[in-house]
Amino acid sequence: MAQLSPAERRQIATRFMSEASGNNESTGTVSKADIFAAIDAADAWIDTNFTAFRQALPATVRQGLTRKQIRKMFLLTAVARLDLED
Amino acid sequence: MASGDSLSKWGARACGLPSSNFATPDTRNSHDVLDFDAGTDESALFTGVLDPAYDGGGVTVYLTWMASSATSGNCVWGAAFERIAANSHDLDSDSFATANTATGAADGTSGEVTVTTIAFTSGAQMDSVAAGELFRLKVYRDADNGSDTMTGDAELLFVEIRET
């Protein structure tokens, strides 16, 4: 699974900061560089662990769905968990 | 005019906006602000007349702003002058002088303002704007500057020009 490009990761970091500002969410003393590094790490972690995620799914799903569909399954589940805790 | 006297001033809503990469008008507890993004250089334009009593000794631009979400980090601000005088230049294109910049630190308490100043010497740095002349002042956040470390938007409340 390929990682995002530096420009794509920067766009995500920019969007994260814009949404935090728009929602009046505090980012405390976290710096911009910290945010960029966190997005880099998140992208790398997903890339590293995507195989393990696929292996956790039922075999019929692994074999019957495309990789993009499986990524979408991961995304939808992650988004739904957004407000589970602070 | 004496040093420190006010020559021109604007609230956040008294600005013009460029056609792209513009600061976003917003409010914070009913205070009008302009939001400058953390990831992309954005600007706002302020048109005014330099007070006829300007003494010619250079000016200082005062930017009053606050951090939208951060309580630390630095914000790099820039400002540039564009003289608008009779028979001086075609307004269908921009003609700003080279910008001067300054770095301001976000206040450690959310909602409290920081005042960042940018100094200009008389003459070329001010695009040779003279007392009583019309001008535009471009104010921008140099968000992709390595020294701009503050996360989130910078919210500009007020811009003032004072005699240096």
Side-chain angles (χ1 to χ4, degrees):
Chain A
M1 180 174 171
Q3 289 192 3
L4 298 170
S5 70
E8 288 169 327
R9 293 198 297 269
R10 186 179 177 88
Q11 281 183 343
I12 293 169
T14 299
R15 178 178 171 181
F16 176 85
M17 289 186 285
S18 291
E19 291 190 9
S21 294
N23 295 329
N24 293 320
E25 297 170 358
S26 172
T27 53
T29 59
V30 174
S31 73
K32 218 190 301 189
D34 292 335
I35 299 292
F36 290 143
I39 299 300
D40 289 347
D43 185 40
W45 183 90
I46 293 172
D47 188 46
T48 299
N49 292 281
F50 184 69
T51 300
F53 170 70
R54 287 188 73 247
Q55 290 303 315
L57 303 177
T60 49
V61 171
R62 289 201 309 271
Q63 293 155 11
L65 297 184
T66 65
R67 291 173 69 86
K68 184 171 183 178
Q69 285 175 311
I70 292 174
R71 288 198 301 273
K72 186 172 185 178
M73 192 177 289
F74 173 86
L75 171 65
L76 292 175
T77 305
V79 169
R81 292 175 59 85
L82 182 63
D83 292 318
L84 274 185
E85 58 185 54
D86 287 340
Chain B
M1 279 286 184
S3 174
D5 285 351
S6 184
L7 300 171
S8 292
K9 64 187 83 170
W10 305 266
R13 286 298 176 99
C15 72
L17 297 173
S19 57
S20 62
N21 295 331
F22 47 82
T24 305
D26 196 359
T27 58
R28 181 168 178 172
N29 189 30
S30 301
H31 293 277
D32 292 329
V33 297
L34 288 167
D35 292 346
F36 289 76
D37 200 72
T40 305
D41 291 4
E42 293 180 336
S43 64
L45 306 167
F46 299 88
T47 301
V49 172
L50 196 61
D51 195 300
Y54 166 58
D55 209 19
V59 301
T60 300
V61 175
Y62 286 70
L63 305 176
T64 301
W65 63 278
M66 56 187 166
S68 180
S69 56
T71 54
S72 71
N74 293 326
C75 184
V76 179
W77 291 98
F81 281 86
E82 178 190 70
R83 177 174 177 248
I84 304 173
N87 302 313
S88 67
H89 93 266
D90 181 353
L91 296 191
D92 288 326
S93 61
D94 293 343
S95 181
F96 289 94
T98 302
N100 284 4
T101 61
T103 301
D107 196 279
T109 302
S110 179
E112 295 193 0
V113 301
T114 297
V115 179
T116 299
T117 59
I118 307 176
F120 293 80
T121 56
S122 186
Q125 285 192 3
M126 291 175 59
D127 201 27
S128 301
V129 176
E133 286 190 331
L134 188 66
F135 68 94
R136 278 197 308 178
L137 179 73
K138 177 166 65 178
V139 175
Y140 68 96
R141 178 180 180 183
D142 194 357
D144 58 2
N145 187 305
S147 298
D148 189 305
T149 58
M150 189 186 82
T151 60
D153 292 347
E155 298 175 326
L156 181 68
L157 284 88
F158 207 79
V159 179
E160 185 182 12
I161 299 176
R162 300 180 190 175
E163 184 98 37
T164 298

